[in-house]
Amino acid sequence: METSFMYSVDPFSPARKGGTFSRLVSAVLATAVVRCWPLLLFFSAWATAVSVISHNVHSLAIQPTLLTVIGTVLGFVISYRTTASFERYNEGRRLWSQIILGSRNLARTIWFHVPEAMPAAKDDPSTLEQRKARVLIEKKTVINLIEAFGVSVKHYLRGEEGVYYVDLFHLVKFLPSYALPAGLPSLVDVTSMDGNSTTSPRRPRGDSSAAADLTSIREEVESLERDAPPASPTAPNSPTTQLPFPATAVSPRKVSLVKVEMPPRSSMNGRGRSYDRERQAEKTDKSSMYSGVSGAQDENFLLPARMPPKYHLFDLFPFSLLVHILAKRGKDVKGRKAARIRAKLRSKTVTHNLPLEISLYLSSYIAALQDRGVVPPPTATILLTSLNQLVDALTGLERILTTPIPFSYRVQLWSVTVLYCLLLPFQVWNTLKWLTIPATCLASFIFFGFLVAGEEIENPFGYDKNDLNLDHFTHNIIRSELRAITALPAPHVESWAFSQFNDQIFGSEERAAPDEWMQRGLGRIQAALATI
């Protein structure tokens, strides 16, 4: 029983404190009862009213003909709805497996099949050791970008704009930005302030707009802590005010929609005020600056890798009925339901395609290898195929995220289900009498339970308890495996094939090390191979 509770919701979630009871509560919160209990109370009260009137005043019973006809059709339709939602859930899991596969293949091929040193040019004064160091830096940087691809896809699917997260910022902060169009629906055109197209699609590597963007975000976070209006999204003296927001900058609308609760600066990362004074003194150290951004200082203001919304009063009925109206008006409504609605209102925010931008830099590395002529065509083909797997998975995930169930179909299904549950007490009163009340509650739970479960899993990329654990994919699989690959240099075959512990090469009966077989000669080796 304990094991079933542990793995009933998420087998990859970290262990919870509290024992069996805590896991039981977590399992109950993941069921459809939590999301449809207001409906169950309503139809139970409705069935109670019908039963009381039929028993004390006048019988409201009708013939149960509709019970059979509508119930059968409704069962098939709800089954199709649930199946369609699970197909989207399963497709999302398959595409994340493809991202993991592509990341493994791409990192393995780069680390093992790209030469340790590039050939020296005519006027290149660098030594062999310097060229090897340069190749290692290139390899590790590219493999970090492979990790950044998975992490950026996670934030991209969750509607978390920008790169200022503890698991992403250090991987991509050095990249110049492409002015790519939004990969998800957006009403904001990528144009300049006066409506004309921009003339510079990329930010120069030495431009200070990244520092201005990061400073503005710091000001907005501090203003949110004081419950003051957000600061201006761009610095007033920024030289790139006519350019669109780059993919490596947080959208001003995204920041204004969600208040981020940050700890006080004096207690951030467990450090005291003396540490803050030391950090202020370090601001004069120009050696720590890159493109106008001091990563060591600004990382104190990075957002966490996970930002799940917390339960709030607006998650409870009847306050939950006001969430959609308030969220559409731009109000900062708390709670999980409000977070889901804000994620659906993506058409009102700028959503730059950071994963696609990272794929362009990965492609530029493969192109550089081809230009240098250091990898054979089959190896280049493997690299391109693995990269295409990543982009193909990204496109499939975008398709799931941007293709909702048709609105007319959802309205029709909910309308018929509500109508069926409203008519149910009238049809079963003559047969069940006072059992009509629990029977109506049970039937409502069956039908509405499948409906709300289908709506929850049709977008499996959020923070709901039944969503895919994207943090496990990016942190425990992709990041851990890529770091394990790069922890050691690419081994030479002689280091393991001719190990003295490899003493059972031709079977378990005779133990002999590779050096001993070399001394015995080719004939003895062939004779051992022929032995069955």
Side-chain angles (χ1 to χ4, degrees):
M1 181 65 69
E2 182 177 352
T3 304
S4 62
F5 284 148
M6 183 182 301
Y7 296 107
S8 57
V9 181
D10 184 5
F12 306 112
S13 61
R16 295 178 177 270
K17 297 181 179 180
T20 304
F21 179 76
S22 176
R23 290 190 290 268
L24 175 61
V25 172
S26 179
V28 171
L29 292 177
T31 62
V33 178
V34 177
R35 298 190 62 184
C36 67
W37 67 266
L39 293 170
L40 302 184
L41 291 179
F42 171 78
F43 285 105
S44 297
W46 172 259
T48 302
V50 173
S51 299
V52 171
I53 294 175
S54 298
H55 184 267
N56 297 326
V57 181
H58 176 70
S59 178
L60 301 177
I62 61 176
Q63 292 296 326
T65 306
L66 291 176
L67 183 67
T68 304
V69 177
I70 300 181
T72 303
V73 176
L74 188 60
F76 281 114
V77 175
I78 291 180
S79 175
Y80 171 76
R81 172 71 173 87
T82 307
T83 303
S85 298
F86 184 75
E87 286 179 355
R88 294 163 62 92
Y89 184 93
N90 193 40
E91 178 71 7
R93 180 64 183 91
R94 187 191 67 81
L95 291 173
W96 267 102
S97 297
Q98 184 172 330
I99 290 179
I100 295 173
L101 174 63
S103 301
R104 288 170 173 171
N105 291 338
L106 192 56
R108 173 180 52 83
T109 306
I110 290 173
W111 193 250
F112 285 86
H113 296 274
V114 174
E116 295 181 354
M118 299 297 168
K122 277 187 177 181
D123 301 329
D124 187 5
S126 61
T127 63
L128 177 61
E129 183 177 355
Q130 291 176 336
R131 294 199 301 272
K132 286 185 176 181
R134 185 181 184 87
V135 169
L136 279 179
I137 293 174
E138 287 183 356
K139 285 184 178 182
K140 182 57 179 176
T141 302
V142 172
I143 292 178
N144 286 344
L145 288 184
I146 298 174
E147 176 188 345
F149 182 89
V151 176
S152 63
V153 169
K154 178 191 72 173
H155 291 292
Y156 182 60
L157 297 176
R158 289 175 172 175
E160 297 167 351
E161 186 69 17
V163 301
Y164 299 99
Y165 303 94
V166 295
D167 58 344
L168 179 61
F169 179 70
H170 67 284
L171 299 173
V172 297
K173 63 182 179 180
F174 54 89
L175 294 178
S177 297
Y178 280 86
L180 292 174
L184 298 177
S186 176
L187 297 179
V188 182
D189 189 16
V190 186
T191 55
S192 59
M193 301 295 289
D194 56 359
N196 298 324
S197 300
T198 57
T199 57
S200 178
R202 295 178 60 183
R203 185 182 72 242
R205 186 177 295 267
D207 193 82
S208 62
S209 62
D213 295 336
L214 193 55
T215 303
S216 66
I217 291 171
R218 179 190 305 167
E219 294 174 356
E220 291 195 17
V221 171
E222 292 176 349
S223 65
L224 289 176
E225 292 176 355
R226 299 189 302 268
D227 292 330
S232 176
T234 55
N237 57 353
S238 175
T240 57
T241 55
Q242 297 298 317
L243 289 176
F245 272 91
T248 51
V250 173
S251 169
R253 292 192 180 188
K254 189 64 182 178
V255 175
S256 62
L257 280 175
V258 182
K259 287 186 178 180
V260 182
E261 297 180 358
M262 302 289 287
R265 291 193 62 189
S266 60
S267 61
M268 196 167 295
N269 294 334
R271 300 182 174 100
R273 295 183 179 179
S274 61
Y275 181 80
D276 290 338
R277 289 193 295 267
E278 294 176 3
R279 301 303 292 261
Q280 293 292 334
E282 291 176 0
K283 287 185 177 181
T284 56
D285 186 6
K286 301 299 183 180
S287 62
S288 63
M289 305 294 287
Y290 182 81
S291 298
V293 178
S294 176
Q297 295 171 7
D298 293 320
E299 286 176 5
N300 282 337
F301 295 91
L302 295 180
L303 299 174
R306 281 178 52 86
M307 295 189 297
K310 298 180 180 180
Y311 284 105
H312 195 264
L313 183 64
F314 282 103
D315 289 320
L316 301 178
F317 184 84
F319 303 102
S320 59
L321 301 177
L322 304 174
V323 171
H324 199 280
I325 300 175
L326 295 176
K328 273 194 170 182
R329 293 181 178 179
K331 302 295 183 180
D332 185 21
V333 186
K334 303 289 186 180
R336 288 178 174 265
K337 183 174 181 179
R340 286 194 296 268
I341 292 177
R342 281 195 294 268
K344 292 180 181 179
L345 297 177
R346 304 176 65 93
S347 59
K348 300 185 183 297
T349 61
V350 182
T351 307
H352 291 284
N353 202 331
L354 179 60
L356 182 60
E357 182 178 348
I358 293 175
S359 71
L360 299 180
Y361 287 101
L362 293 175
S363 185
S364 69
Y365 175 72
I366 300 175
L369 295 178
Q370 292 176 317
D371 290 340
R372 299 169 185 172
V374 295
V375 292
T379 302
T381 301
I382 294 175
L383 293 173
L384 291 174
T385 302
S386 301
L387 180 58
N388 290 339
Q389 284 183 326
L390 298 180
V391 179
D392 178 70
L394 170 64
T395 306
L397 293 171
E398 288 178 336
R399 174 175 52 82
I400 295 175
L401 197 63
T402 58
T403 310
I405 301 297
F407 176 76
S408 60
Y409 177 81
R410 297 172 60 185
V411 170
Q412 182 69 16
L413 183 56
W414 275 89
S415 301
V416 174
T417 306
V418 170
L419 180 63
Y420 177 82
C421 293
L422 288 175
L423 295 176
L424 185 60
F426 299 99
Q427 301 179 72
V428 300
W429 168 253
N430 284 337
T431 304
L432 300 180
K433 297 303 179 181
W434 291 106
L435 291 178
T436 298
I437 300 173
T440 302
C441 181
L442 179 61
S444 301
F445 171 69
I446 293 174
F447 288 116
F448 288 107
F450 280 114
L451 287 180
V452 298
E455 288 189 353
E456 181 177 351
I457 66 175
E458 71 179 3
N459 179 13
F461 309 123
Y463 291 105
D464 290 330
K465 289 186 176 295
N466 294 291
D467 287 340
L468 296 173
N469 194 337
L470 305 187
D471 297 279
H472 170 72
F473 299 153
T474 58
H475 181 85
N476 295 347
I477 297 181
I478 296 178
R479 187 179 77 170
S480 298
E481 291 183 353
L482 296 189
R483 292 187 178 183
I485 290 175
T486 58
L488 297 173
H492 295 284
V493 64
E494 295 84 1
S495 63
W496 50 270
F498 286 86
S499 172
Q500 60 178 348
F501 300 103
N502 186 19
D503 56 358
Q504 293 179 296
I505 304 175
F506 302 104
S508 59
E509 296 180 356
E510 185 178 5
R511 294 178 178 268
D515 293 337
E516 185 176 348
W517 281 108
M518 290 292 295
Q519 296 176 0
R520 293 180 182 180
L522 180 61
R524 295 286 300 276
I525 294 177
Q526 292 176 341
L529 289 172
T531 302
I532 299 178

